[in-house]
Amino acid sequence: MAVERRPETDHPLAVDRRTMLRGAALAAGGVLLGGVLGVSAAGPASASATPKVYTRADWKARAPKGGIQVLATGPTHIVVHHTATGNVSDTSTSHAAALSRSIQSYHMDSNGWSDTGQQLTISRGGHIMEGRDRSLQAIRDGKHVLGAHTANHNSHTIGIENEGTYTSTTPPGALMSALVDTCSWLCLVYRLDPQEAIVGHRDYNATSCPGDKLYSMLPQLRDDVGSRLREQLIHLSRQAGRELTLEELPSYPAVPSSERIATFYHGPAIGDLDTSL
Ligand SMILES: [Zn+2]
């Protein structure tokens, strides 16, 4: 593992490595953490935790040929790949959908796999697409769909295929931005430390994937994801009225200190989005 390490920050909201490495044990809480972070959507745009992910229905995926295995324990690492396809200029969602279909066909018909190998795909236009069947729901549940993208490490890694070939050119900004969004989301759901969790395919297998250029950008990706996580913790801490660490983030919205105590009162029952009393 050629993963660069850097000193721990002493910021009070720093993501604690020991805490985050317990991702598996905390995976169940990670699901609900996503719900809590949904509240933060009203804050800074960067605090939005769940990126837009196009589903398999959106890109008209074929049904998988075999059963999809969903593991109860979330992944410990996020593997960055490149698709080794052309560095196209088409940034449309229709192109991203066509890419997903072509990858699925290749994996099923040429490789003989049951379905798309990776769990997520990002196009050069920055569109994030669900890969293997049930991946999106598994992530939401803090679970893990067993994929086929990194030999001997599929049980504990989630794979992101980034469209293009990055041996000698760098990915477009839209793709890198979506990759930061995606990795931040996954680190929050699974409570992973980006400095440890984000790796390139070549860290595990003998391959040039994800290309020298994209591989050289992984330290910056880890830093960008770490910054995003700290922003979100700060935002949630403001909402909670005190400093939170990732470990103590509630698995449900924080109880307000000013909540009144009264007979029959058991918390908010009707909100602005409800249409009837
Ligand atoms: Zn790869």
Side-chain angles (χ1 to χ4, degrees):
M1 296 280 294
V3 176
E4 180 180 294
R5 293 173 188 277
R6 62 174 207 168
E8 299 273 4
T9 169
D10 57 5
H11 189 285
L13 292 175
V15 175
D16 182 273
R17 176 163 291 146
R18 289 160 303 173
T19 298
M20 301 199 79
L21 287 176
R22 289 192 288 131
L26 292 169
V31 183
L32 296 165
L33 176 64
V36 173
L37 289 168
V39 174
S40 70
S46 60
S48 180
T50 306
K52 163 74 176 173
V53 179
Y54 291 89
T55 67
R56 287 167 61 89
D58 290 332
W59 58 266
K60 297 183 170 51
R62 291 157 57 184
K65 278 193 290 192
I68 298 296
Q69 290 188 62
V70 180
L71 308 180
T73 301
T76 59
H77 290 78
I78 300 165
V79 181
V80 175
H81 302 266
H82 67 177
T83 58
T85 57
N87 291 332
V88 301
S89 55
D90 189 342
T91 58
S92 67
T93 50
S94 60
H95 168 74
L99 172 73
S100 291
R101 288 193 296 273
S102 65
I103 290 172
Q104 184 189 33
S105 292
Y106 185 80
H107 287 177
M108 291 176 74
D109 302 336
S110 297
N111 292 357
W113 299 347
S114 60
D115 196 2
T116 299
Q118 74 279 9
Q119 289 85 354
L120 295 164
T121 311
I122 302 177
S123 75
R124 282 171 59 84
H127 304 295
I128 307 164
M129 320 297 280
E130 182 178 25
R132 180 160 286 215
D133 194 30
R134 301 173 67 183
S135 290
L136 200 46
Q137 188 59 51
I139 295 167
R140 288 176 179 145
D141 292 346
K143 296 179 180 177
H144 177 52
V145 162
L146 186 64
H149 60 90
T150 301
N152 302 317
H153 292 276
N154 287 302
S155 66
H156 72 95
T157 62
I158 184 166
I160 304 172
E161 285 277 3
N162 298 280
E163 182 188 13
T165 301
Y166 299 112
T167 49
S168 57
T169 52
T170 55
L175 189 157
M176 289 309 296
S177 177
L179 187 55
V180 171
D181 293 345
T182 303
C183 290
S184 301
W185 169 49
L186 296 176
C187 283
L188 277 166
V189 168
Y190 295 119
R191 303 207 176 188
L192 300 174
D193 177 352
Q195 295 295 336
E196 298 279 352
I198 298 172
V199 298
H201 191 178
R202 67 173 65 173
D203 286 320
Y204 284 123
N205 297 151
T207 174
S208 62
C209 181
D212 285 354
K213 288 290 186 182
L214 178 51
Y215 188 73
S216 73
M217 296 170 78
L218 295 186
Q220 185 64 50
L221 174 66
R222 295 182 190 108
D223 287 350
D224 288 347
V225 172
S227 297
R228 180 75 61 83
L229 293 175
R230 283 189 289 278
E231 280 175 23
Q232 290 174 342
L233 284 172
I234 289 167
H235 182 69
L236 288 168
S237 295
R238 287 198 187 110
Q239 287 187 329
R242 67 185 179 86
E243 288 185 350
L244 300 172
T245 63
L246 191 72
E247 185 175 33
E248 64 173 338
L249 279 181
S251 58
Y252 45 82
V255 177
S257 56
S258 59
E259 182 169 74
R260 66 193 173 95
I261 298 172
T263 304
F264 296 130
Y265 181 77
H266 58 91
I270 296 175
D272 293 342
L273 301 180
D274 298 310
T275 55
S276 60
L277 294 176

